[in-house]
Amino acid sequence: MDLQKSSDATAATPVGLRASDADRERITDILRDALAEGRLTAEEHAERVEGVLATKTVGELDRFVRDLPAAHPGRTAPPHAAAPHRPAAGAIPVDADESMVAVLSAAVRKGRWRAGRRIHAYAVFGSVDIDLSEAIFEYRQVVIKAVSVFGSVDIRVPENVSLRGNGGGVLGSFEVRTMDAGDPDAPVVYVDGLAVLGSVSARPRRGKLVADILDRVTSRLDARVADRVDRGLRKHLDR
């Protein structure tokens, strides 16, 4: 959807004019994109869409998107760096650094952990939850192979990494919310897989940044080192 043209058309339209189905669809498209970007909660999105459908005039429609960037085309969006191409064959080992298997059970990996170059996840009548939002990325490119059969694989990443997906579903759902990081050196997570009568989902976890996590880890390490040096000096002085 061309937001610039839509906005120009709205500006040229009398605010008291009766709203058409096309006018309402334009606003609901903006709201849908805002929900996908995390700017609106599901409850806020539903409430605004309900209001849009009940609105009579064009002028009244604008209030539902007034606080969203798409309604202000003059504002420039932050630049994004294109994610690098998929790793060449042999660039990443075929064997997984870590495998997670859930058969009639649940497997969860979250918190602060070191993400390897390749992670395999298999959910058969079970669920696998991979949360990378607080993980330490030792490699720039991470490949996750996710297979779900009558189960679910749920993947979360920090919001400032690039995310790519390549897979499909057989009577199931394979959904990867593609995004590009602003930093060209940011980690890239590739999700490959298949969902058979199940689901594979990968999306960012809002509010979690790789840099913030690394800064916290570094500060904790610095504090530990300082504490060890202090204790060493005290031992030396007490002799």
Side-chain angles (χ1 to χ4, degrees), residues 4-235:
Q4 179 68 51
K5 292 181 180 179
S6 298
S7 180
D8 292 344
T10 301
T13 304
V15 295
L17 191 68
R18 299 280 291 190
S20 66
D21 289 340
D23 293 326
R24 296 187 185 90
E25 183 178 355
R26 173 178 57 83
I27 298 300
T28 55
D29 283 343
I30 295 177
L31 294 175
R32 184 190 62 235
D33 292 340
L35 174 65
E37 294 169 358
R39 299 183 188 277
L40 294 176
T41 65
E43 293 76 11
E44 290 172 331
H45 175 263
E47 181 180 352
R48 294 194 186 194
V49 169
E50 183 178 356
V52 168
L53 297 178
T55 297
K56 300 299 183 182
T57 66
V58 173
E60 292 175 321
L61 287 174
D62 292 338
R63 63 189 177 92
F64 294 102
V65 296
R66 193 171 298 153
D67 58 347
L68 300 176
H72 306 279
R75 295 180 56 185
T76 57
H80 291 282
H85 294 295
R86 184 169 294 275
I92 293 182
V94 177
D95 296 332
D97 296 310
E98 182 168 355
S99 294
M100 300 178 64
V101 180
V103 180
L104 294 172
S105 62
V108 180
R109 196 75 163 92
K110 63 180 181 179
R112 197 178 71 206
W113 58 291
R114 296 183 181 277
R117 285 177 291 183
R118 180 181 289 275
I119 302 170
H120 289 176
Y122 303 95
V124 181
F125 289 97
S127 64
V128 174
D129 186 1
I130 301 176
D131 190 346
L132 292 163
S133 61
E134 295 186 7
I136 298 174
F137 287 81
E138 295 185 315
Y139 304 96
R140 188 188 177 198
Q141 295 180 317
V142 177
V143 174
I144 300 177
K145 179 182 178 182
V147 177
S148 171
V149 180
F150 287 97
S152 65
V153 177
D154 197 13
I155 301 166
R156 296 291 179 273
V157 302
E159 65 177 351
N160 61 337
V161 305
S162 293
L163 182 61
R164 291 288 184 272
N166 182 26
V170 179
L171 297 178
S173 170
F174 182 92
E175 181 181 359
V176 176
R177 188 172 297 175
T178 301
M179 62 182 187
D180 290 324
D183 184 355
D185 296 323
V188 186
V189 178
Y190 302 92
V191 179
D192 300 333
L194 178 67
V196 181
L197 292 168
S199 66
V200 173
S201 171
R203 58 183 182 272
R205 184 174 177 184
R206 299 299 176 185
K208 294 294 185 179
L209 305 176
V210 172
D212 293 343
I213 296 164
L214 293 178
D215 287 344
R216 288 201 298 269
V217 172
T218 302
S219 64
R220 290 174 183 173
L221 289 176
D222 291 342
R224 291 178 183 176
V225 171
D227 182 63
R228 289 179 182 177
V229 172
D230 182 65
R231 284 184 294 174
L233 288 173
R234 289 187 180 184
K235 289 182 180 180

